[in-house]
């Protein structure tokens, strides 16, 4: 058993954890980043995109380290030449496709330059606690068990694993009320020009201008934007098929799929695809797209259920691949290119923090004196009455809202911060605040706060919020 001392230990190397570690290390804190995989990037890496950097008005709401990451990916040739792309779906103001391999390299560069110590292929085992204070974590890798001691631990596991093991208060929705998980995959050999040409003739096939602000206040219509603004898939890069059965599956095939109605409740074998069937291009190859189509309901904190979910995800993706080839224009000759290594979980446990972000905060564009990030994505929530059906609840007037520092702080436990989708928020609010650009933004804030706590010898809850916000502004963050 070895032991090491750090100022800050970050557990979880998704984009929230990676930004937290880079931010803390750049501020001079001795920082360690623990990640079970052999790379950084998490869900954004799997999706090959980051969203949203803008609200529906087109105003940028995230800069700082997240923007620097995109700029570095671009320097490696890993972004679309137009950078942040307008999102005509109206579900988030922008969409930023990235090459996942360039993203891996850029994240390693940032961590290395900041001198954050990476512990890859390392599993979190337990939290070390003294009274109500977290003092470090125990981890395991090929070299055995290790105790990593720290003044502040940042839980960026997504599932609040550190917080739970430390005895912090948390909440967890039943799986049926949580956003479903998905196994992402990519297909190649797609004629996206044919796909877009078909949609231009029939705009109703895509979800377009979903944010009421775009239709009611800007006066845009799906027909006009498809005719005047869309020439290729990068003009409409965040694609939701509006109704797979109604628009693509001929009635002559309904019996084969046990379909009884166009409404999602009657989709038979295709019910899992009622939650979403989303198509997203890679930045440098329009013939390769990522599919966010599978939908799996389970408790992501249960190891046995997680194993079964991987099997179900594989089953569903092959059904989806058959649907693409048979019914979707441009996909007839496509083939499976990549299956992501694990199911991507959208919701599980959340911290019970000093403050809980609410639906009203998101809808009404709340501002807070301790704001450390901004969000704008609509609240994506599972329908309480229709399985595998998702609803979107939008920020008023196409705007954005603040995410306060208190959402990263446990109500009673010291020495701990969270970053990522396990922040303190209601089921509805986290459906917005969980997005990649936001996780990176408040990941940066968590890292800076942890470094300030180390510098001044105080608990994270005692960090001077004015100093924190000033430091973030100096790092080009929007707070």
């Amino acid at each position: 058993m070895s032991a090491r001392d750090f100022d800050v230990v970050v557990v979880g190397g998704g984009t929230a954890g990676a930004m937290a570690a880079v931010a803390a290390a750049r501020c001079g804190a001795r920082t360690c980043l623990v990640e079970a995989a052999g790379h950084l990037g998490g869900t954004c890496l799997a999706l090959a995109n980051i969203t949203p950097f803008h609200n529906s008005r087109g105003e940028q709401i995230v800069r700082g380290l997240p923007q620097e990451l995109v700029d570095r990916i671009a320097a490696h040739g890993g972004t679309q030449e137009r950078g942040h792309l307008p999102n005509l779906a109206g579900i988030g103001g922008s969409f930023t496709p990235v090459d996942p391999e360039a993203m891996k390299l850029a994240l390693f560069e940032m961590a290395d330059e900041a001198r954050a110590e990476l512990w890859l292929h390392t599993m979190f085992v337990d939290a070390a606690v003294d009274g109500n204070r977290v003092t470090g974590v125990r981890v395991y890798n090929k070299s055995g068990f290790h105790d990593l001691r720290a003044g502040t631990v940042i839980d960026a596991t997504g599932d609040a694993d550190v917080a739970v093991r430390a005895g912090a208060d948390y909440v967890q929705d039943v799986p049926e009320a949580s956003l479903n998980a998905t196994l992402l995959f990519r297909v190649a050999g797609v004629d996206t020009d044919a796909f877009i040409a078909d949609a231009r003739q029939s705009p109703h096939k895509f979800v377009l201008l979903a944010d009421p602000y775009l239709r009611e206040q800007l006066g845009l219509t799906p027909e006009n934007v498809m005719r005047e603004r869309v020439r290729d898939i990068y003009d409409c890069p965040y694609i939701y098929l509006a109704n797979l059965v109604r628009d693509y599956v001929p009635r002559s095939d309904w019996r084969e799929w046990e379909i009884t109605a166009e409404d999602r409740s009657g989709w038979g074998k295709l019910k899992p695809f009622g939650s979403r069937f989303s198509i997203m291009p890679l930045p440098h190859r329009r013939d390769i797209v990522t599919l966010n189509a599978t939908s799996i309901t389970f408790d992501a904190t249960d190891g046995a259920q997680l194993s079964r979910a991987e099997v179900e995800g594989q089953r569903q993706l092959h059904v989806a691949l058959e649907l693409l080839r048979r019914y979707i224009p441009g996909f007839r000759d496509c083939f499976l290119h990549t299956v992501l290594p694990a199911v991507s979980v959208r919701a599980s446990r959340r911290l019970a923090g000093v403050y809980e972000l609410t639906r009203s905060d998101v809808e009404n564009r709340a501002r807070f004196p301790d704001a450390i990030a901004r969000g704008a994505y609509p609240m994506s929530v599972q329908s309480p009455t229709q399985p595998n059906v998702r609803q979107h609840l939008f920020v008023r007037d196409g705007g954005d809202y603040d995410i306060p520092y208190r959402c990263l702080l446990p109500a009673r436990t010291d020495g701990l911060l969270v970053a990522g989708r396990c922040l303190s928020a209601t089921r509805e609010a986290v459906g917005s605040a969980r997005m990649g650009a936001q996780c990176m933004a408040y990941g940066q804030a968590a890292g800076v706060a942890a470094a300030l706590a180390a510098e001044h010898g105080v608990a994270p809850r005692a960090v001077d919020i004015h100093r924190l916000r000033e430091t973030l502004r100096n790092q080009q963050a929007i707070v």
Side-chain angles (χ1 to χ4, degrees):
M1 177 87 66
S2 70
R4 293 282 305 279
D5 290 305
F6 297 92
D7 296 317
V8 179
V9 169
V10 182
V11 183
T15 43
M19 293 297 99
V22 170
R26 281 191 182 179
C27 289
R30 296 170 300 157
T31 303
C32 172
L33 174 57
V34 175
E35 166 55 38
H39 57 79
L40 307 177
T43 299
C44 288
L45 184 79
L47 285 165
N49 68 71
I50 307 167
T51 189
F53 278 83
H54 299 75
N55 62 24
S56 290
R57 299 177 179 184
E59 299 163 337
Q60 188 159 358
I61 59 167
V62 175
R63 286 198 183 95
L65 288 184
Q67 182 61 55
E68 179 184 330
L69 173 61
V70 172
D71 293 342
R72 283 174 176 258
I73 295 171
H76 291 301
T79 60
Q80 221 279 326
E81 60 183 11
R82 288 173 261 182
H84 301 302
L85 305 179
N87 181 10
L88 294 179
I91 302 172
S94 63
F95 177 86
T96 310
V98 296
D99 175 0
E101 300 308 319
M103 183 178 184
K104 285 181 186 176
L105 178 59
L107 286 169
F108 279 154
E109 287 175 343
M110 293 174 74
D112 184 59
E113 291 169 13
R115 298 187 178 181
E117 190 169 319
L118 298 183
W119 285 50
L120 303 176
H121 302 292
T122 301
M123 298 288 296
F124 166 74
V125 176
D126 205 354
V129 180
D130 181 7
N132 71 334
R133 185 170 69 91
V134 178
T135 59
V137 295
R138 177 164 291 181
V139 300
Y140 178 83
N141 59 23
K142 285 286 188 179
S143 302
F145 289 96
H146 310 269
D147 287 333
L148 307 179
R149 297 183 290 251
T152 299
V153 174
I154 298 176
D155 183 343
T157 62
D159 296 323
D161 289 335
V162 180
V164 171
R165 296 296 297 173
D169 296 329
Y170 69 95
V171 295
Q172 181 174 359
D173 300 319
V174 297
E176 291 74 19
S178 297
L179 287 171
N180 289 348
T182 185
L183 182 60
L184 298 157
F185 63 100
R186 286 190 256 281
V187 297
V190 183
D191 184 350
T192 53
D193 288 338
F195 174 60
I196 292 297
D198 175 73
R200 291 187 71 218
Q201 295 298 315
S202 306
H204 68 275
K205 291 184 175 181
F206 287 4
V207 173
L208 294 167
L209 310 175
D211 190 334
Y213 167 81
L214 300 173
R215 295 176 185 246
E216 297 171 7
Q217 297 186 45
L218 297 189
L220 300 176
T221 68
E223 294 75 18
N224 286 343
V225 298
M226 286 299 283
R227 181 175 63 249
E228 298 172 4
R229 302 190 186 188
V230 177
R231 293 295 177 269
D232 62 33
I233 197 165
Y234 297 114
D235 293 325
C236 191
Y238 196 32
I239 296 168
Y240 285 76
L241 301 188
N243 188 309
L244 178 67
V245 166
R246 179 195 66 198
D247 298 331
Y248 293 101
V249 181
R251 284 183 175 267
S252 58
D253 288 354
W254 279 22
R255 177 175 292 182
E256 175 185 353
W257 299 108
E258 299 177 2
I259 297 169
T260 58
E262 291 179 354
D263 182 81
R264 287 170 173 81
S265 62
W267 278 21
K269 295 179 180 178
L270 305 188
K271 276 186 180 179
F273 308 114
S275 180
R276 69 166 61 191
F277 205 100
S278 181
I279 300 169
M280 301 162 285
L282 291 186
H284 54 299
R285 289 290 298 269
R286 69 179 65 207
D287 61 329
I288 304 175
V289 298
T290 302
L291 271 294
N292 189 348
T294 64
S295 183
I296 313 162
T297 302
F298 71 105
D299 179 356
T301 66
D302 183 309
Q305 291 190 43
L306 183 58
S307 295
R308 291 194 293 271
E310 297 287 357
V311 176
E312 175 61 17
Q314 288 284 340
R315 185 194 71 79
Q316 288 186 23
L317 80 83
H318 285 281
V319 175
L321 186 60
E322 182 177 357
L323 293 170
L324 290 165
R325 289 171 172 160
R326 286 176 61 175
Y327 303 123
I328 311 299
F331 284 82
R332 183 182 61 187
D333 299 320
C334 75
F335 57 93
L336 193 59
H337 178 277
T338 306
V339 179
L340 278 299
V343 163
S344 293
V345 176
R346 295 188 178 95
S348 57
R349 295 181 294 225
R350 304 185 301 279
L351 180 75
V354 173
Y355 183 80
E356 183 181 60
L357 191 71
T358 68
R359 171 177 175 171
S360 177
D361 293 334
V362 175
E363 284 184 327
N364 295 307
R365 302 162 52 195
R367 298 296 181 213
F368 297 98
D370 61 335
I372 42 80
R374 290 187 181 180
Y377 196 82
M379 291 173 282
S380 183
V381 294
Q382 212 70 22
S383 168
T385 58
Q386 297 175 282
N388 290 322
V389 174
R390 189 172 304 178
Q391 301 169 331
H392 286 104
L393 309 170
F394 290 88
V395 183
R396 181 168 50 84
D397 298 330
D400 52 79
Y401 61 92
D402 286 346
I403 298 170
Y405 178 56
R406 288 166 292 161
C407 290
L408 312 185
L409 285 167
R412 298 182 299 109
T413 305
D414 281 326
L416 179 68
L417 289 166
V418 301
R421 60 177 170 81
C422 56
L423 85 165
S424 178
T426 64
R427 182 178 74 94
E428 295 86 1
V430 80
S432 169
R434 67 184 175 86
M435 299 304 293
Q438 282 61 55
C439 286
M440 287 198 290
Y442 53 81
Q444 178 179 356
V448 172
L452 290 174
E455 179 184 349
H456 296 284
V458 299
R461 71 178 70 253
V463 165
D464 185 329
I465 189 62
H466 301 292
R467 176 78 181 278
L468 173 58
R469 282 164 52 85
E470 179 186 17
T471 305
L472 289 170
R473 289 194 191 96
N474 291 338
Q475 295 177 355
Q476 309 306 311
I478 298 174
V479 297

